[in-house]
Amino acid sequence: MLVWTVCAALIVCGVLLRHPYLFQDVQYVLAKIKRRRFVLKCMQTNYSILDRFLDLVKTQPQKTLIYFKDEMFTYREADVLSNRAARAFLQAGCVKEGDAVALFLGNQPMFLWLWLGLLKIGCPGALLNSNIRSKSLLHCLNCSGATTLVASEELLDAVKEVLPHLHEQQITVFILADRCETAGVESFIDKMNQASSEPISKELRSHLTMQSPAAYIYTSGTTGLPKAAVVTYSKVWNFSLLLATTGVNSKDVIYDTLPLYHSTGLLVFTGAVERGIPVVLRSKFSASQFWDDCRKYNVTVIQYIGEIMRYLCNTPQKLSDKNHKVRLAVGNGIRADVWRDFVRRFGEIQIREFYGATEGNFALLNYSSKMGALGRHTFLHKMFFPYAVIKYDADKGEPLRDSSGFCMEVEKGEPGLLVTKITAKAPFTGYVTDLNQTEKKKLHNVFKKGDLYFNTGDLLRIDEDNFMYFHDRVGDTFSNTELQLTPVCDCLTFVFRPGGRAGMAAVTLMDGLKFDSTVVFKHVEDFLPSYARPRFLRIQVCLLQLFTLFAFVVKPLSVEQGFNPNEITDPLYF
């Protein structure tokens, strides 16, 4: 018996020496399978994240759900306030079963009460980016089909700018103020204060299934006008369970500085509800106040995007840098060098980098703490959650196919396009009222006739140890369509990152017309949110030269030349 035990131990040791991440790989896939089974069970019983919230209201009514500045809101208080929001919508007579309501506000508890209130009456929330203005704002409203808009008081000027168009489209407009002097805009706070806080009948949402939309969350708009991704109740569960997969437990306190109108910010709230824990909500990220907040609220889990970690590392060093209770950081986009600097300075915080898209049907998690990686490429993971990294022709903007017309997987170390199989268990719900853009994200006949994959638009690389790394976004350009205006007849926009991020638009002019910088500036300011505005404009005789410069493999000098006044002779505007 002893001999057999020793032999088994030697075999296990040999396997682990050859495959040091085997146990972690298996654990991760098993956790994802368990998560998928849970979501399927919820689909069968029609149990939503709202039902989970209402269960917690019964079992832990006095536990804090939200910390915001110097305010605290318990689960019970959140229930009461969201009941009032729901009744205010119903009593106003502008919202009926299944109607989308657009929410136009920044991070504040009211955002959550409004969204929960909408879920209680069976309506999805169209979560508008609070930075959009003018035509972009109207576009986002139109594509959601919302007939009601609720905006924060500080965004009243942005609403006034488009108010005539809203009235033409018969959109009811509310402002989050006690009263409003603007004609055609009503106070929502006043209606909430007068509404009953009695529980909302479940009959009002009896028409819902797990495939019904809970929210419309907009893509950033950096590759064209924003698109409203359909976020179903089952997808909300998938978002929410991510925190549990990363190791968040029922004793944690999580810090949310990211916008609630985006999936990265909203998943913190829904994930906290799934765990039954408090969320520390901040109106916007502040590098100088970040660690003070963590200490004040005894935060144990933080959420990040890559730039947040870089900003934190760039703040002046303090003796109190490691004086906090944060044990876990969950997010995406952290560079290996920033990761290294962050843990060296702020302590051994476990970082859980993940990869995913709001509209996507697939996610990766770096569960092995490999700096810079998104996750691991394993046979087991690929078998249960089919995906592939395929060869991509950057010049044609499409996958490379062999003589039989099928796609080809890349070799180790070679960048390729990540595609993920669309199945009943991993659906792609697309964009609301935009069948054309939805279809563009689908790839047909990838490996065999009749199969269907989701095109992530991301280039990834797999190394010799099977770690997966982000390489680039396909066609790192943005907002070409919005820049089409007289006298501009053609436009190419692209991104350059010399340690930061800046956008450049290369434009050609119509024959005989002069460039009017004032008109173009006003157009860009009106049409694009601040993050999507190019910082440089370069006037070109012909764009073909630029298209050649920004092919898939680009010499760094060529990219730098695009911005360098010493290297080019074309007119260049800032």
Side-chain angles (χ1 to χ4, degrees):
M1 186 68 180
L2 180 61
V3 173
W4 285 110
T5 303
V6 171
C7 288
L10 288 172
I11 291 171
V12 170
C13 288
V15 169
L16 289 178
L17 285 172
R18 290 181 61 192
H19 306 283
Y21 300 101
L22 180 62
F23 282 167
Q24 289 181 328
D25 293 341
V26 172
Q27 281 181 325
Y28 174 64
V29 173
L30 290 176
K32 283 192 74 171
I33 292 171
K34 183 180 179 182
R35 190 168 91 184
R36 175 181 278 179
R37 285 178 176 170
F38 175 82
V39 174
L40 289 173
K41 183 180 178 182
C42 289
M43 292 176 73
Q44 291 165 0
T45 58
N46 223 25
Y47 185 80
S48 71
I49 196 70
L50 175 64
D51 295 313
R52 168 64 176 163
F53 167 76
L54 294 173
D55 285 346
L56 290 168
V57 171
K58 294 174 184 175
T59 58
Q60 51 180 49
Q62 299 309 316
K63 185 170 182 176
T64 301
L65 172 61
I66 299 293
Y67 292 99
F68 183 72
K69 298 179 180 177
D70 291 325
E71 295 182 287
M72 292 168 51
F73 298 90
T74 64
Y75 276 82
R76 174 63 184 149
E77 288 168 332
D79 184 44
V80 165
L81 290 163
S82 56
N83 285 342
R84 284 183 169 166
R87 292 189 181 280
F89 282 123
L90 292 173
Q91 289 165 10
C94 57
V95 178
K96 61 183 185 303
E97 180 184 297
D99 284 351
V101 174
L103 305 182
F104 189 40
L105 60 158
N107 279 17
Q108 54 180 284
M110 181 61 78
F111 188 110
L112 301 171
W113 315 152
L114 292 171
W115 185 55
L116 286 172
L118 289 171
L119 297 188
K120 288 179 177 183
I121 58 176
C123 295
L127 312 184
L128 303 183
N129 186 324
S130 57
N131 294 295
I132 59 174
R133 297 292 184 271
S134 188
K135 294 176 184 177
S136 288
L137 175 55
L138 288 173
H139 164 79
C140 290
L141 270 170
N142 290 338
C143 69
S144 71
T147 55
T148 302
L149 170 68
V150 183
S152 61
E153 190 172 14
E154 57 268 25
L155 292 174
L156 179 58
D157 287 342
V159 172
K160 283 181 180 178
E161 190 179 354
V162 296
L163 199 54
H165 298 282
L166 301 181
H167 287 161
E168 282 177 15
Q169 296 169 35
Q170 297 184 316
I171 293 175
T172 304
V173 182
F174 293 108
I175 206 77
L176 293 171
D178 292 325
R179 60 179 181 274
C180 184
E181 307 295 332
T182 304
V185 180
E186 301 179 58
S187 163
F188 194 80
I189 298 293
D190 184 50
K191 286 179 167 48
M192 268 188 70
N193 289 339
Q194 294 175 32
S196 165
S197 63
E198 287 300 304
I200 305 296
S201 170
K202 198 169 183 178
E203 287 299 309
L204 290 170
R205 52 185 184 275
S206 60
H207 63 285
L208 297 177
T209 70
M210 287 296 105
Q211 298 309 319
S212 301
Y216 300 133
I217 296 181
Y218 293 80
T219 61
S220 64
T222 53
T223 50
L225 286 167
K227 300 180 287 289
V230 180
V231 178
T232 63
Y233 281 86
S234 61
K235 185 176 277 287
V236 170
W237 268 126
N238 279 313
F239 283 165
S240 307
L241 293 165
L242 175 67
L243 291 188
T245 308
T246 62
V248 176
N249 63 51
S250 60
K251 296 180 180 178
D252 280 314
V253 176
I254 191 165
Y255 188 39
D256 191 0
T257 66
L258 298 176
L260 291 169
Y261 57 70
H262 200 269
S263 54
T264 49
L266 191 66
L267 81 81
V268 171
F269 173 69
T270 59
V273 169
E274 189 277 327
R275 299 277 82 187
I277 62 174
V279 177
V280 178
L281 182 65
R282 189 173 175 89
S283 55
K284 60 174 63 176
F285 168 75
S286 167
S288 61
Q289 296 297 310
F290 190 92
W291 294 110
D292 287 340
D293 280 350
C294 288
R295 285 185 279 269
K296 177 179 178 179
Y297 299 107
N298 293 314
V299 170
T300 57
V301 180
I302 60 175
Q303 198 214 15
Y304 69 86
I305 54 173
E307 292 299 280
I308 281 180
M309 304 300 245
R310 186 169 67 84
Y311 293 149
L312 291 174
C313 289
N314 286 342
T315 58
Q317 292 195 19
K318 296 180 179 179
L319 293 174
S320 60
D321 279 345
K322 293 184 180 180
N323 179 21
H324 57 76
K325 295 182 179 179
V326 176
R327 64 174 189 85
L328 180 64
V330 181
N332 54 0
I334 185 172
R335 300 198 313 254
D337 59 329
V338 175
W339 184 329
R340 194 175 298 109
D341 291 343
F342 183 84
V343 295
R344 184 187 298 129
R345 177 171 168 185
F346 298 108
E348 289 301 318
I349 298 169
Q350 193 174 61
I351 293 180
R352 286 289 176 258
E353 174 85 358
F354 70 87
Y355 166 87
T358 304
E359 68 271 50
N361 64 342
F362 178 81
L364 288 167
L365 178 67
N366 182 350
Y367 47 84
S368 46
S369 299
K370 176 75 170 180
M371 288 187 179
L374 299 176
R376 284 184 50 74
H377 169 68
T378 68
F379 167 78
L380 201 59
H381 190 207
K382 193 173 180 180
M383 181 173 69
F384 285 100
F385 303 90
Y387 67 91
V389 181
I390 60 175
K391 293 179 183 289
Y392 183 77
D393 187 330
D395 292 329
K396 293 182 179 179
E398 61 186 35
L400 278 170
R401 293 181 182 262
D402 61 20
S403 57
S404 301
F406 297 124
C407 297
M408 302 169 284
E409 295 194 57
V410 297
E411 301 293 330
K412 293 282 183 70
E414 178 187 358
L417 178 68
L418 175 67
V419 295
T420 61
K421 194 168 186 179
I422 298 172
T423 65
K425 292 180 179 179
F428 167 55
T429 47
Y431 309 105
V432 64
T433 68
D434 199 335
L435 295 176
N436 183 45
Q437 289 296 333
T438 297
E439 192 57 36
K440 279 184 178 180
K441 296 296 285 184
K442 297 176 182 177
L443 286 176
H444 297 264
N445 307 320
V446 175
F447 295 115
K448 63 181 181 180
K449 197 168 181 61
D451 67 10
L452 186 62
Y453 279 72
F454 172 72
N455 178 356
T456 66
D458 291 322
L459 300 176
L460 269 57
R461 175 178 57 84
I462 302 169
D463 72 7
E464 292 298 325
D465 295 320
N466 287 319
F467 284 100
M468 303 178 76
Y469 298 86
F470 180 80
H471 181 78
D472 206 352
R473 183 82 180 144
V474 166
D476 207 352
T477 63
F478 59 97
S479 307
N480 292 345
T481 53
E482 295 93 314
L483 290 171
Q484 303 301 331
L485 77 165
T486 303
V488 173
C489 70
D490 205 356
C491 171
L492 167 69
T493 56
F494 54 88
V495 176
F496 178 47
R497 299 181 181 86
R501 183 183 178 99
M504 178 175 187
V507 301
T508 59
L509 305 181
M510 293 177 179
D511 290 340
L513 292 180
K514 293 183 178 180
F515 179 72
D516 188 330
S517 60
T518 304
V519 170
V520 173
F521 179 82
K522 182 71 166 64
H523 179 81
V524 169
E525 190 176 48
D526 286 348
F527 218 132
L528 303 180
S530 57
Y531 57 79
R533 296 171 191 165
R535 301 304 184 216
F536 298 89
L537 258 72
R538 176 177 171 180
I539 311 299
Q540 288 278 115
V541 176
C542 174
L543 289 188
L544 289 177
Q545 182 183 350
L546 259 288
F547 275 111
T548 304
L549 283 181
F550 294 91
F552 181 47
V553 180
V554 186
K555 292 183 179 179
L557 182 61
S558 299
V559 181
E560 291 169 9
Q561 183 191 42
F563 292 79
N564 192 341
N566 297 318
E567 297 287 334
I568 63 172
T569 56
D570 300 318
L572 184 66
Y573 291 80
F574 176 70

